[in-house]
Amino acid sequence: SKASYAISKGNSAAERILSLMNAFNHISNKNASIELDHFQNEIHFKNISFSFGEKKVIDKIDLKIKKGSKVAIVGESGSGKTTLINLLNRFYDVESGEILIDGINIKKISKRSLRNSIGLVTQEPILFNDTVNNNISLGEKEYNYEEIIFAAKTSNAHDFIDKLKGKYNSNIGDGGGKLSGGQKQRISIARAVLKNPQILLMDEATSSLDSVSEKMVQDAIERLSKNRTTIIVAHRLNTIQKADLIVVMENGSIIQTGTHKKLLSIKGKYKQLVEMQTFHK
């Protein structure tokens, strides 16, 4: 009876694994022959639209992001903020319009070189049941110990890592379960520092942290984003006041753009969002 249960359990698990492994990848790499070595001018979301099923999530967005600029994308939940950066990563493909990097449609750029040029830090860090060292160096074939320490110091992670029993060889548990939320996020940022991407995407990286952890993570983000093109999806608006451009989204469309100072000076959605957060504090 025990063997029968184990076999049934194994079959069920195998079915789920095989269904995932055999899933059809809709993101084609067939005609993507261009290698993105250097990003020189701008990213252009050119009149793009995208839907999940029948629901329109992105509706005819046209946005240019200059190299080296820091752009913040804000809006209420469901406005399409995260979907926009997922489209840049080619986790999905646009239905109409095109996303251009230096005038080249990203569908013509190999997925590997595109994603190697992009660093992504998400709200929930993706960590593995492995050492600190291996989690930071994930995906990097060539690195040295000094580079990992530099990445950890840049992300404000070195001090707490140095206090762990095994230091950089300490196992952080499944999903980083042995670390706090702020510590996990700083490991994730250290990984991005080591990758040294041309384009940095931050998807609500501080929204689930307490104020102390948020300050440390925010300082790390400031250092990481210096002199590189950065797109920040933000929930806490106090973290993006220094952005070169703030893009306000609603129902999949851009309804306002401008600096923090400019948008506060006019009556609109951004001013309303800022006032709501100030009131809740």
Side-chain angles (χ1 to χ4, degrees), residues 1-6:
S1 62
K2 287 183 179 180
S4 176
Y5 169 75

Side-chain angles (χ1 to χ4, degrees), residues 240-248 256-266 270:
I240 49 93
Q241 293 179 9
K242 296 179 181 179
D244 300 307
L245 179 69
I246 296 173
V247 177
V248 186
Q256 285 184 298
T257 60
T259 62
H260 173 74
K261 186 177 180 180
K262 177 186 173 183
L263 292 176
L264 273 186
S265 68
I266 57 178
Y270 182 76

Side-chain angles (χ1 to χ4, degrees), residues 229-240:
T229 308
T230 308
I231 303 174
I232 303 172
V233 172
H235 175 71
R236 295 180 178 176
L237 303 184
N238 62 311
T239 62
I240 49 93

Side-chain angles (χ1 to χ4, degrees), residues 82 86 89 91 119-139 172-177 179-192 201 203-205 208:
T82 296
N86 284 342
N89 265 306
F91 294 156
L120 176 63
V121 180
T122 58
Q123 182 178 353
E124 291 294 330
I126 300 172
L127 300 175
F128 298 91
N129 191 1
D130 207 334
T131 63
V132 172
N133 183 69
N134 288 341
N135 270 283
I136 294 176
S137 63
L138 183 70
I172 62 173
D174 190 19
L179 304 178
S180 69
Q183 289 171 338
K184 288 192 284 187
Q185 197 62 281
R186 280 176 273 162
I187 292 289
S188 181
I189 293 172
R191 183 188 295 163
L201 307 180
D203 188 5
E204 302 200 41
S208 61

Side-chain angles (χ1 to χ4, degrees), residues 54-179:
E54 295 181 358
K55 183 181 179 182
K56 182 79 75 174
V57 184
I58 299 294
D59 189 15
K60 296 180 181 178
I61 280 182
D62 198 281
L63 174 66
K64 291 182 179 181
I65 298 173
K66 296 293 184 183
K67 180 183 179 180
S69 64
K70 182 188 292 186
V71 175
I73 303 174
V74 304
E76 296 176 348
S77 297
S79 59
K81 307 184 298 295
T82 296
T83 302
L84 196 64
I85 64 172
N86 284 342
L87 289 169
L88 179 58
N89 265 306
R90 282 201 79 196
F91 294 156
Y92 314 103
D93 273 338
V94 297
E95 292 173 353
S96 62
E98 53 186 349
I99 300 175
L100 308 170
I101 296 180
D102 290 342
I104 303 170
N105 191 318
I106 62 171
K107 291 182 180 179
K108 296 180 181 179
I109 300 171
S110 72
K111 287 191 287 184
R112 180 176 293 276
S113 72
L114 173 68
R115 292 170 183 171
N116 279 343
S117 300
I118 296 173
L120 176 63
V121 180
T122 58
Q123 182 178 353
E124 291 294 330
I126 300 172
L127 300 175
F128 298 91
N129 191 1
D130 207 334
T131 63
V132 172
N133 183 69
N134 288 341
N135 270 283
I136 294 176
S137 63
L138 183 70
E140 298 295 324
K141 293 181 179 179
E142 295 182 8
Y143 63 89
N144 59 53
Y145 191 58
E146 288 72 25
E147 288 174 328
I148 289 177
I149 291 177
F150 174 79
K153 287 181 176 179
T154 303
S155 68
N156 276 342
H158 177 74
D159 288 345
F160 85 79
I161 294 171
D162 202 46
K163 293 175 183 176
L164 297 175
K165 187 176 180 180
K167 299 185 184 301
Y168 283 81
N169 290 317
S170 299
N171 187 291
I172 62 173
D174 190 19
K178 296 180 182 179
L179 304 178

